Amino acid sequence: MAQPIFFKSPPSSTLAEIATLTKAHLVDPARGAHKIRGLASLDEAGPMHLAFFDNLKYADQLAATKAGACLVSPRFEAQVPKGTAVLRANKPFQVFVELAREWHADALRPQSWFDTEGIAPSAIIDPTARLEDGVIVDPLVVIGPRVEIGAGTIIGAGAVIGADVKIGRDCNVGAKTTIQFALIGNNVLIHTGCNIGQDGYGFIFFGPAGHVKVPQTGRVVIQNNVEVGAASTIDRGSLRDTVIGEGTKIDNQVQIGHNVTIGRHCLLAAQIGLAGSLTIGDNVALGAKVGINNHLKIGDGAQVTAMSAVKDDIPANGRWGGHFAKPTKQWFREIIAVERLVRDNETKGKEQE
């Protein structure tokens, strides 16, 4: 099984202690003294591990598990093997995650890759930059003029922070990330290799003198508690700011064009492409590889299926998908109709042979 050798080992805890901590119900109190020394998946767990089950897709793994204990809902507890202690919980995965967060708090956000305390000697920091106490700066970082960085923030190795950038408290800036023309709030996690604040793709196309570049004079504004996945890019605005709303979580390799406004608590999966001047509401969920055309509005609470191409506005709470995207019920009906048409034509062709 996977070994958490890069993180602190969790404390050895009895099932009784885990039940108290998680508020799960230990079905057989006689097993309360059994020791658990780690977390694992059903198929890799051993007698000293705690696992969880909440998806029938893994019923075979549950039947064969060697886990010492399993978090499971009342609906499925009878399916747990006799050798595995049952911890009953209405939301077993949620309880499992709560325990994992308690035991592996050091895995929740990156730390200094080099165990740096304070500022590494090889970092280059402009004398006009202001860093509050408790900022960690890893080797080979470059911080420009008039930059401000709040307490508790970690700047990863090789990152470049451009002039006048403001970064709040308790943030993480990943190694080899570049940030310019940006204002960043508190508790923002930016993973490795991101590029934030470069100019957007703005041109007058096919003019007499060729493609004429339009100045991009806006900023990037990232509000509190945002997470930006590795190798993502966020262009600065042209006339207005590019804004990422509070609590939004962005996966790896996402492209966000200039002037885009993303609301609060949105979820953007990997490899999404957002063209310029989009407005995305609060609590929107976009699946992997979604592409959205420019100047559109995506309403609050909308959801878009993975690999969809969006060319029209989506109303609040809309469920859309497809290429080009449309309401999912309509999309499914069209798919079924096309499949039926193909099937009927094949049958007709065979009858004519």
Side-chain angles (χ1 to χ4, degrees):
M1 62 162 291
Q3 297 291 333
I5 58 173
F6 295 105
F7 302 99
K8 295 177 182 178
S9 297
S12 177
S13 303
T14 66
L15 286 177
E17 291 169 339
I18 292 172
T20 299
L21 178 64
T22 63
K23 297 181 174 56
H25 175 67
L26 180 61
V27 172
D28 183 1
R31 300 194 185 196
H34 181 80
K35 290 279 189 177
I36 295 294
R37 295 192 172 90
L39 307 173
S41 58
L42 287 166
D43 59 334
E44 293 190 330
M48 298 300 170
H49 294 120
L50 173 67
F52 75 95
F53 175 80
D54 69 349
N55 189 332
L56 280 173
K57 180 179 179 180
Y58 301 103
D60 291 345
Q61 292 185 15
L62 176 64
T65 191
K66 300 296 190 295
C70 182
L71 282 159
V72 66
S73 67
R75 177 185 173 190
F76 299 117
E77 67 177 85
Q79 299 180 31
V80 177
K82 291 183 179 180
T84 299
V86 174
L87 283 163
R88 183 193 301 146
N90 290 330
K91 297 180 178 180
F93 180 61
Q94 182 172 315
V95 172
F96 186 86
V97 169
E98 289 172 359
L99 184 60
R101 289 174 61 89
E102 178 75 20
W103 284 1
H104 294 293
D106 57 330
L108 291 174
R109 41 189 329 126
Q111 304 301 310
S112 167
W113 288 15
F114 303 94
D115 292 333
T116 304
E117 295 183 4
I119 298 172
S122 61
I124 299 174
I125 301 177
D126 188 275
T128 62
R130 293 170 48 197
L131 279 61
E132 291 185 342
D133 293 342
V135 173
I136 293 175
V137 180
D138 268 348
L140 304 178
V141 168
V142 179
I143 297 176
R146 301 173 299 281
V147 169
E148 296 180 12
I149 301 176
T153 290
I154 300 174
I155 309 297
V160 179
I161 313 297
D164 299 302
V165 166
K166 308 292 188 290
I167 300 175
R169 293 172 175 166
D170 299 314
C171 296
N172 291 80
V173 175
K176 295 188 176 180
T177 286
T178 65
I179 303 176
Q180 55 183 336
F181 306 106
L183 304 177
I184 296 173
N186 298 321
N187 195 38
V188 172
L189 173 52
I190 301 170
H191 287 277
T192 57
C194 291
N195 295 290
I196 296 172
Q198 62 282 339
D199 60 350
Y201 191 65
F203 298 88
I204 298 175
F205 296 106
F206 300 108
H211 307 308
V212 179
K213 191 174 185 67
V214 177
Q216 307 286 294
T217 57
R219 308 170 298 180
V220 173
V221 178
I222 300 179
Q223 296 178 359
N224 296 343
N225 304 313
V226 168
E227 183 163 343
V228 181
S232 292
T233 57
I234 305 175
D235 296 342
R236 70 177 183 265
S238 54
L239 294 177
R240 72 179 193 187
D241 294 333
T242 300
V243 179
I244 313 298
E246 177 183 6
T248 285
K249 310 301 182 185
I250 299 169
D251 200 357
N252 301 334
Q253 298 180 331
V254 170
Q255 156 65 17
I256 298 173
H258 61 190
N259 304 332
V260 169
T261 297
I262 298 176
R264 296 171 297 172
H265 306 293
C266 294
L267 298 173
L268 279 66
Q271 297 184 338
I272 285 171
L274 303 181
S277 301
L278 288 171
T279 300
I280 295 176
D282 297 339
N283 301 302
V284 171
L286 305 179
K289 294 190 175 181
V290 164
I292 304 182
N293 203 4
N294 54 12
H295 301 284
L296 298 183
K297 293 184 178 180
I298 311 299
D300 292 351
Q303 296 181 10
V304 182
T305 304
M307 303 181 70
S308 297
V310 180
K311 67 177 183 63
D312 301 300
D313 292 347
I314 298 178
N317 301 310
R319 302 293 183 266
W320 283 43
H323 194 298
F324 291 104
K326 58 194 69 176
T328 52
K329 290 182 179 180
Q330 177 184 345
W331 177 38
F332 291 158
R333 285 197 300 267
E334 292 177 359
I335 291 172
I336 292 170
V338 170
E339 290 176 345
R340 184 183 298 117
L341 180 63
V342 171
R343 189 166 55 248
D344 291 347
N345 285 340
E346 289 177 346
T347 301
K348 185 182 297 184
K350 290 179 180 179
E351 291 174 348
Q352 293 174 351
E353 291 177 356

